[in-house]
Amino acid sequence: MTADDLKRQAALRAVEYVREGMDVGLGTGSTAEHAVREIGRRVREEALHVRCVATSNKISRLAAEVGIKVVTLEECPQLDVTIDGADEIVLGTLDAIKGMGGALLYEKMVALATHEEILVVDGSKVVKKLGDHTSVPVEVVRWGWTRTRDTLRDLDCEPVLRLGADRSPFVTDSGHLILDCRFPPMADAYPIAKAIKQITGVVEHGLFLGIVSRVVIATADGVRVVERDWS
């Protein structure tokens, strides 16, 4: 199976946690798109009634196309469940890196408003330490961004301005830039997360720590679910 096949399998399993009458967060990215399409199918064919908050304009448009009722976070400030993807995840802690799809600010706002955050991944996203393969996306204000970049370098990382397909700077839905920050593998990401947020000019970062409730993982051997022990 291809990586996309695995993502779809995991997304279909995650959608099983969506129940009648729930308020649901919709993540951004290729994995989340599979979940959105499956929720839309259930809405159309099974008369499932849910309200959904989308984490990007692209996902909002897709949700509307497949028949999902889309509302804002202001209209629905508390969500039952959110289904999203991840770029890296450590199974022992369920800490993750997200944001390669460019929606990390809205994804984190929705995650923090959610009772149960579910991440959907294929086996290639499972790592021993955050930063093993992936940079940490950091969303920054455009004004003075080079100074923010230079300050981030003091944290022992190399920030690179993300570019779009046309080679111009990628701009988020909220009008900001993204610096992809390559850190050495992190034994403890919490001090790094705190230090990033303390930099003036930083809006948000893609370290999702202590947030995820459950991860659904698809590999060639099948789909498995790992849950956080909150005790």
Side-chain angles (χ1 to χ4, degrees):
M1 289 185 291
T2 66
D4 193 62
D5 292 331
L6 295 175
K7 290 177 182 179
R8 184 174 184 277
Q9 282 192 359
L12 295 183
R13 178 67 178 85
V15 171
E16 294 178 11
Y17 293 100
V18 175
R19 301 284 188 262
E20 172 67 21
M22 278 188 168
D23 293 326
V24 181
L26 304 176
T28 292
S30 57
T31 305
E33 288 177 13
H34 287 303
V36 171
R37 291 190 176 94
E38 175 62 12
I39 293 171
R41 184 197 66 78
R42 291 183 57 192
V43 166
R44 296 189 308 274
E45 299 179 9
E46 303 173 16
L48 176 71
H49 298 91
V50 293
R51 296 188 304 173
C52 294
V53 175
T55 54
S56 66
N57 295 336
K58 181 179 180 181
I59 289 297
S60 182
R61 290 191 296 268
L62 175 61
E65 288 171 7
V66 299
I68 296 172
K69 181 178 181 179
V70 179
V71 297
T72 66
L73 193 59
E74 290 79 13
E75 294 172 288
C76 189
Q78 297 294 324
L79 301 168
D80 296 297
V81 63
T82 290
I83 299 174
D84 207 343
D87 303 299
E88 283 189 351
I89 190 159
V90 177
L91 295 187
T93 61
L94 298 195
D95 290 336
I97 292 177
K98 292 179 43 53
M100 297 308 290
L104 64 100
L105 173 60
Y106 292 172
E107 286 176 328
K108 187 169 284 188
M109 291 177 69
V110 165
L112 293 173
T114 300
H115 176 69
E116 185 174 36
E117 174 83 358
I118 300 175
L119 296 187
V120 180
V121 298
D122 64 80
S124 69
K125 303 300 175 63
V126 177
V127 296
K128 293 183 178 179
K129 295 180 180 179
L130 293 182
D132 274 354
H133 308 299
T134 303
S135 298
V136 177
V138 178
E139 190 161 338
V140 301
V141 297
R142 284 190 272 188
W143 195 85
W145 74 268
T146 56
R147 186 180 186 281
T148 308
R149 176 201 61 196
D150 294 344
T151 307
L152 281 163
R153 284 196 178 118
D154 293 338
L155 302 181
D156 191 27
C157 72
E158 183 52 45
V160 176
L161 179 66
R162 186 179 299 185
L163 303 179
D166 61 356
R167 306 305 295 169
S168 63
F170 176 87
V171 179
T172 69
D173 287 350
S174 52
H176 302 128
L177 303 177
I178 290 182
L179 296 171
D180 290 310
C181 300
R182 186 65 172 153
F183 285 89
M186 292 171 264
D188 183 0
Y190 281 81
I192 295 172
K194 182 178 179 180
I196 294 172
K197 282 298 291 284
Q198 289 177 335
I199 296 174
T200 301
V202 167
V203 180
E204 191 51 82
H205 56 72
L207 290 167
F208 280 57
L209 310 178
I211 295 174
V212 179
S213 301
R214 178 181 285 128
V215 59
V216 182
I217 310 159
T219 68
D221 295 324
V223 176
R224 66 180 176 129
V225 177
V226 178
E227 298 188 2
R228 177 182 294 275
D229 181 0
W230 294 102
S231 60

